[in-house]
Amino acid sequence: MRIAPLFPALIVLAACSGEQPADNKSAAPASPAANAATPATSAGPAAAPDPLADYLPTPGRHAARAMALAPPAEAVALRDRMAAAILRNRTWYETYAAQHPQGELPWHANLGIGEADYRRYLALTRQIGLGERGRVTLTVTRRSDGGLALGADGAAAALDGLILYPDRGRVETPLGRLGTRAATGNDAPESPLGRWQGIRWSNEGTGAPRQLSLSAGRRADGERLLYYNYGPSDAETVILLYPAGPAR
């Protein structure tokens, strides 16, 4: 969900305004750099670099940190009230979110809390911290069909079995396909993850009973992240941070 009825969405959505377009457009590919030292002898144009390469994990084993959001108790209570209201009126919510594709959603009575409580809730989301749950190993394997198969243990075990197909614009999960791709990120340095940019796959618009999403990105300090939301509770979320260097 795009506003913050559920804290799994807060990192990319409620922490600042305008950070996650919901128009389902992929990130624009980077322009190929001209090589002034080499004559242009190719019969065709140079291939553009992969726009996702800076966000995706490389094949191998990565030492990673599994993280968890630490929201204020008052924000949790307000979130739970909104979550209940949205689940009762999900069709309305999806339409309303589509009408406001960028930034924080305006308050609406159907969100289940008053306008003052909503403003308070948005303010509280900016106080969310991030704590470490444990050290884990992220394993990435290049499949023969071009997919990147993820394996993980410990607090990140829910990532095990996900397969990223960057060239096909989708992710396969044990719970279903994520076929909607959009640019994502956050420009607010005070957000839990600070400034970061990336790509997000989801099953939004499919009518699936469970909303799923996976984000892959790069923080301002160069650290990489994976953010997997596979259910409505805080326990059904994986936030993984790992170094940008080559895998082991």
Side-chain angles (χ1 to χ4, degrees):
M1 293 182 183
R2 200 175 59 78
I3 71 160
L6 308 177
F7 279 114
L10 289 179
I11 289 181
V12 293
L13 300 169
C16 76
S17 175
E19 67 278 4
Q20 180 171 302
D23 55 9
N24 298 335
K25 295 179 183 175
S26 9
S31 299
N35 187 341
T38 304
T41 58
S42 167
D50 184 352
L52 302 181
D54 213 24
Y55 306 140
L56 299 176
T58 55
R61 293 166 57 86
H62 301 263
R65 295 178 293 146
M67 313 298 288
L69 295 172
E74 184 182 355
V76 173
L78 292 170
R79 173 209 62 186
D80 289 347
R81 288 168 58 189
M82 284 194 290
I86 287 171
L87 290 175
R88 289 193 300 268
N89 202 350
R90 191 161 174 172
T91 300
W92 165 83
Y93 172 79
E94 291 181 352
T95 301
Y96 188 61
Q99 292 170 349
H100 303 277
Q102 296 191 29
E104 296 163 347
L105 289 182
W107 172 81
H108 192 285
N110 286 355
L111 292 174
I113 61 176
E115 187 172 4
D117 281 341
Y118 186 64
R119 288 197 301 269
R120 172 65 175 161
Y121 172 73
L122 293 178
L124 288 169
T125 63
R126 293 174 171 85
Q127 301 174 23
I128 294 173
L130 201 64
E132 184 174 317
R133 297 176 61 190
R135 300 295 175 106
V136 302
T137 299
L138 171 68
T139 303
V140 183
T141 304
R142 176 75 68 181
R143 292 164 45 103
S144 60
D145 61 2
L148 295 173
L150 305 185
D153 58 5
L159 291 172
D160 204 64
L162 270 66
I163 306 174
L164 283 64
Y165 290 99
D167 295 340
R168 306 178 194 178
R170 73 174 195 260
V171 173
E172 300 290 348
T173 83
L175 299 174
R177 174 176 294 181
L178 312 182
T180 298
R181 194 180 89 167
T184 188
N186 199 321
D187 291 329
E190 70 274 12
S191 72
L193 286 172
R195 292 190 177 97
W196 67 278
Q197 294 181 336
I199 202 76
R200 177 176 181 263
W201 298 268
S202 74
N203 65 350
E204 290 175 359
T206 64
R210 179 189 295 229
Q211 289 197 330
L212 311 170
S213 66
L214 174 72
S215 295
R218 178 175 57 86
R219 303 175 72 189
D221 62 5
E223 193 172 36
R224 301 307 195 259
L225 68 91
L226 288 172
Y227 173 80
Y228 182 41
N229 172 28
Y230 58 99
S233 74
D234 295 342
E236 295 168 304
T237 304
V238 174
I239 303 167
L240 206 63
L241 303 179
Y242 60 97
R248 292 179 292 169

